[in-house]
Amino acid sequence: MNSAMHDENVVQTVLSGAPQQSIRRRELIDVAMGKTPAETIIRGGRLVNVATAEIYPADVAIKGGRIAAVGDVGYTKGPKTRVVDATGRFVTPGLVEGHLHQYHSYLGVTEFVEALLSHGVTATADAFYGPGIVAGIPAVRFFKQAFESMPMRLIFLVPTLSWLQNRELGLTPTEGVAAAELKDILAWEGCYGLEEPPYLPVVEHFPEFLDLFDETLRQRKVITGHAAGITWRQLQAYAAVGVTTDHESVEANDALAKARAGLTLLMRQGSGCFDVPEVVRTHTEFGIDPRMLAFCADLASPEKLMTEGTIDHAIRVAIAQGVAPVRAVQMATINTAEVFYAQRDFGIVAPGRFADLLLVSNLRDFAIDTVIFGGTEVFKQGRFLLKLPKTVYPAFLRGTVKLPHPVTADELTFKVALDRKEIEVRVIGVTEGSLETDERQERLQTQEGTVPAAVDRDVLLLAMIDRFGKGTGTGLGFVQGFGLREGAIASTANAVCENIVIVGTNPADMAVAANHLASLGGGKVVVRDGKVLASVALPICGLLAEEPMQDVMSKFNRAFEAITELGCPLKNPFSQLEFCFACGEIGNIKLSEEGLLLIHPHPHKVDVVVA
Amino acid sequence: MNSAMHDENVVQTVLSGAPQQSIRRRELIDVAMGKTPAETIIRGGRLVNVATAEIYPADVAIKGGRIAAVGDVGYTKGPKTRVVDATGRFVTPGLVEGHLHQYHSYLGVTEFVEALLSHGVTATADAFYGPGIVAGIPAVRFFKQAFESMPMRLIFLVPTLSWLQNRELGLTPTEGVAAAELKDILAWEGCYGLEEPPYLPVVEHFPEFLDLFDETLRQRKVITGHAAGITWRQLQAYAAVGVTTDHESVEANDALAKARAGLTLLMRQGSGCFDVPEVVRTHTEFGIDPRMLAFCADLASPEKLMTEGTIDHAIRVAIAQGVAPVRAVQMATINTAEVFYAQRDFGIVAPGRFADLLLVSNLRDFAIDTVIFGGTEVFKQGRFLLKLPKTVYPAFLRGTVKLPHPVTADELTFKVALDRKEIEVRVIGVTEGSLETDERQERLQTQEGTVPAAVDRDVLLLAMIDRFGKGTGTGLGFVQGFGLREGAIASTANAVCENIVIVGTNPADMAVAANHLASLGGGKVVVRDGKVLASVALPICGLLAEEPMQDVMSKFNRAFEAITELGCPLKNPFSQLEFCFACGEIGNIKLSEEGLLLIHPHPHKVDVVVA
């Protein structure tokens, strides 16, 4: 660790580059004109110019966190000008993340920002919809402000899902964010538009959204899209209402249709979704203009954030698929910035923009040597150089796991009439590597009016428990694909519902898991024989950790080990679990606390027992 | 003429597509989903998709003036759906003009719109700065509203020059538009940003502009630039303050530097400026990404507007220079729309956008067969199909040529002390094909205390007369390059000053010219031996004609003939005359009603007489 860089002044300098700070353009003029010296010069590198798609030698003069001049800027060097040597390296813009939910990483704000910066991401788009579902508009405002006090350009978006949430599938919503509040949030300073209002609800079920869309466009803001599994006609309708992007393409021809309809493809390369190799074929094979391609991660585990990275990894994947390096860098920077009309602030190394830059040793491997944010080196040769202030969370974000009484095994026992010997049930089918679920049917033996798991056939018990005092109770069902031989796994974080969700081999372990989560204020837990084998506390909204990311990752790793010990072969068991439950239109069959749902052709409740 | 198309209902249908009309997105959804039929289908064409840079067969379904679906849209055809046959033709977006001053064409709003539409331009950027200089903010509002009632997408910008005008060179301003009003105009609905605040005043002289810049960027609007003749350092400063475009590049290396600094190059191909062949080398030779290139005309005479066209002509020029046709169409459509963050409304044929389309017979020649605006054919096979409503101009736009008394020859006579036999004077040098002026010196003989023109050496008399009652009087000087052997030419339209300007061989003809202009309420005039040989009345602000464009063009042609008869060899004598006078930083030496100015290194008054 470079202790000199841990100086508080350095942190302050970096933070002063945040977008909410006033911009002193007069200072940039004076530096560019040679009247006052630059604060910092990046010297000797080869610039990757993402505007012109050229690579050539150029130096960068910086003042007040922004770029004053790019080229032969030697004349801006004064006696106190700091010089960063970029010899032998490429200078690229800081990477821009087009769609990533911080809360799905479980990391706190400070830890998340450090992880992104350490992989070259200096701008990220987020709406904090999960905290919004759990704790409403004050939570959204808190996270927005927390990010804005960090060395990170926040592309803040309206969390449409904080309102849609359970409504989307006809279920009882949390208080969350009210419809009228969405328009209020849209007008917040630093708001760039709407976060992924999904196709179905907008176009088919909640036409009042169209007013919000019109207002968004009127304010010259953007509507980012979420076009999972829609038909060609639905795509036309979705584009027609003003949607700008899609991050849900998994197949090249489908992606091509979207690009042709004017949607920028935010190619997803995240935890559990590896879409770049397929979607980038629109460019490498079909030859479309690369201006329509950009990157996002959408979901990223702490391990992914800390090890392989997100947008930097996507660049490497794209290059490996045959994309020219300069095009891949465009997809990771200016193309994304242009989606949000943010190219005047970031996504390109040019005068007036924030001095968010990377020094990259090798363009083809995209090996990041140094990350510069607002003109200050924040990461260098494998080491994070800042000590970011700890995020202090307010009390209203805690204690959000509310159970009227401790959960009992009896409540989690699936019951049928005493005279039934066996029953045919709908089972949620889970497949490794896919977040889609499929409907299966299995015959299960009963025991005195109860239906235990059929562990030998991998038909396990599934439960969702209301944790918001909505009074909606508990939903029970069956699932296949987790492979547990014993014990239970549970979580309070599950997209859109954010209830307690549990998969297990027996109701007793499942009840222990639920009650342990309540005692933690939320988190993840693995239980066997009534004992907690591993847990990760997520006390902030029941969604986020407070601990250092290394500790969070260790605890997750311990939990993954424990899950494997229980017999589960899945690589991402928590994500797979999450998507077994009511969560938008992804997948065909879902469990909620109000019962089992089939999603297509339109969401509707069905009985677990078929016969 | 197709009389059916002259039906008033057709005009109304077209006008309902204007951007200020409410957008009924629900109707687009219903058409896209096959629930209600399209109003119009464009069938059988090959789509030039400017998002993906592909060309492929695709049909277009239209409803309420916007596009509902693009592709196999046969299912949207109902019994009343009108079908436009595009077989054998290419379907492109309507062309987008990035920077063109309507008032420099002298045509009224109706006539100008018809001329643009007849050449495929369906969107145009303008700020009406000339009318703003003459008649203030009410004039700007009038022209904005007049355009918005026409079948044309107006990219309205704030007329920063209506404030800057004479101030830029330290001269007495007209009332024009006040500084505080610029911020008011910025907030007008339908305002996309600022029109060309030039480098020098902004960065060097009027730092208060930077507040307006910050507010513009805060409102997610754009600052279009005007970077004529600036140094590399000045370019860095100009980009640093947030400027987005430049339309003043005349040399490829200079243009390259601007593109590298993040400025989109609006390559100019207008009357008297033919920059595309040179500037497009940044792409064809230097290989920069074509996303940084777009087109504009800036200035266009009635003849140019009616015959060779503007943006359509620029496409042809670019293709002739080796630009791939699909790239040239991108430069004329989506690239320009993206500058203004308008790509959700126009610049691409995709769902949700206005149904502004061209059917082009031959992409390489860009031969426009049909122009469709808001889903209605407005031009077809050489014929304009609409009868546009006549623009009715309010009284305050008339009678703007105010002289305290008739101008006398004596006032226009250059006088020196009686004892001077000859004098050395500064002469404004004019060169065919360039709007730049250069300083020359000539020795002139005097006659009883007056200095007549030296017609044999083409040293003629030049005068500017205040026509706004500012009390600034009359400025006199000398010019070389017009080649008049007799008579005088005069005009009330001259960028930024908009005073009466005259070049002549003798003060008597010059006085006749000035007084005739006053009697017309403004215009252009050619005089010989005290008689008016030709004139063009421009009674609206002294800038614009009210007559049909064919009549305006005929009168201009007659004036050009008369000017040639007087001995002038220049191709664009009125433009050349205009730029001899105080008009921004273009050129080195200028005359104003307050005296002679040298522009570089900074504008300052100098004496006409050197010795």
Side-chain angles (χ1 to χ4, degrees), chain A residues 25 52 220 240 289 327, chain B residues 25 52 220 240 260 289 327:
Chain A
R25 298 204 182 258
T52 59
R220 305 171 65 78
D289 196 318
R327 294 295 179 196
Chain B
R25 298 204 182 260
T52 59
R220 306 171 66 76
R260 285 178 167 183
D289 196 319
R327 295 294 179 198

Side-chain angles (χ1 to χ4, degrees), chain B residues 503-521:
Chain B
V503 57
T505 59
N506 66 87
D509 281 348
M510 292 168 73
V512 169
N515 292 322
H516 188 71
L517 287 182
S519 74
L520 290 175

Side-chain angles (χ1 to χ4, degrees), chain B residues 271-274 429-438 440 458 480-483 564 568-576:
Chain B
S271 290
C273 38
F274 317 106
V430 167
T431 309
E432 170 68 85
S434 168
L435 298 178
E436 303 278 333
T437 50
D438 62 283
R440 301 175 192 173
D458 188 23
Q480 190 170 52
F482 277 89
T564 305
C568 174
L570 295 175
K571 285 204 190 99
N572 294 291
F574 287 123
S575 294
Q576 300 276 49

Side-chain angles (χ1 to χ4, degrees), chain A residues 23 25-26 28-29 32-34 49-54 56 67-73 75 189 191-192 199 202-204 207 210 214 217-222 231-234 236-237 239-244 256 259-262 286-289 291-292 327 330 334-335 338 340-344 348-353, chain B residues 23 25-26 28-29 32-34 49-54 56 67-73 75 189 191-192 199 202-204 207 210 214 217-222 231-234 236-237 239-244 256 259-262 286-289 291-292 327 330 334-335 338 340-344 348-353:
Chain A
I23 301 156
R25 298 204 182 258
R26 166 57 56 193
L28 297 179
I29 294 169
M33 296 303 292
N49 189 320
V50 292
T52 59
E54 297 175 295
Y56 53 88
I67 297 169
V70 182
D72 294 332
V73 303
Y75 68 93
E189 193 76 31
C191 179
Y192 287 74
Y199 166 75
V202 168
V203 177
E204 316 244 315
L210 297 184
D214 278 345
L217 297 174
R218 201 192 65 74
Q219 292 184 23
R220 305 171 65 78
K221 296 180 177 177
V222 300
T231 65
W232 184 86
R233 291 186 188 185
Q234 289 173 327
Q236 303 300 303
V241 296
V243 167
T244 299
L256 176 65
R260 286 178 166 183
F286 306 161
I288 75 165
D289 196 318
R291 76 200 285 166
M292 297 305 289
R327 294 295 179 196
Q330 284 181 316
I334 193 172
N335 290 10
E338 288 195 343
F340 297 104
Y341 307 157
Q343 64 269 37
R344 305 269 72 84
I348 161 175
V349 178
R353 278 65 171 188
Chain B
I23 301 157
R25 298 204 182 260
R26 165 56 58 193
L28 297 181
I29 294 169
M33 296 303 291
N49 190 318
V50 292
T52 59
E54 297 174 295
Y56 53 88
I67 297 170
V70 182
D72 294 331
V73 302
Y75 68 93
E189 193 77 30
C191 178
Y192 287 74
Y199 166 75
V202 170
V203 176
E204 316 242 316
L210 298 184
D214 279 344
L217 297 174
R218 202 192 63 73
Q219 292 185 23
R220 306 171 66 76
K221 296 179 177 178
V222 301
T231 66
W232 184 86
R233 289 186 190 186
Q234 289 174 326
Q236 303 300 303
V241 296
V243 167
T244 300
L256 177 64
R260 285 178 167 183
F286 306 162
I288 75 165
D289 196 319
R291 75 200 284 165
M292 299 304 290
R327 295 294 179 198
Q330 285 181 316
I334 193 171
N335 291 10
E338 288 195 344
F340 297 104
Y341 306 157
Q343 64 270 38
R344 305 268 72 83
I348 162 176
V349 178
R353 279 66 170 187

Side-chain angles (χ1 to χ4, degrees), chain A residues 30 91 104 219 264 385 393 405 517 521:
Chain A
D30 288 345
V91 180
H104 283 307
Q219 292 184 23
T264 299
L385 304 178
Y393 299 95
H405 53 77
L517 288 183

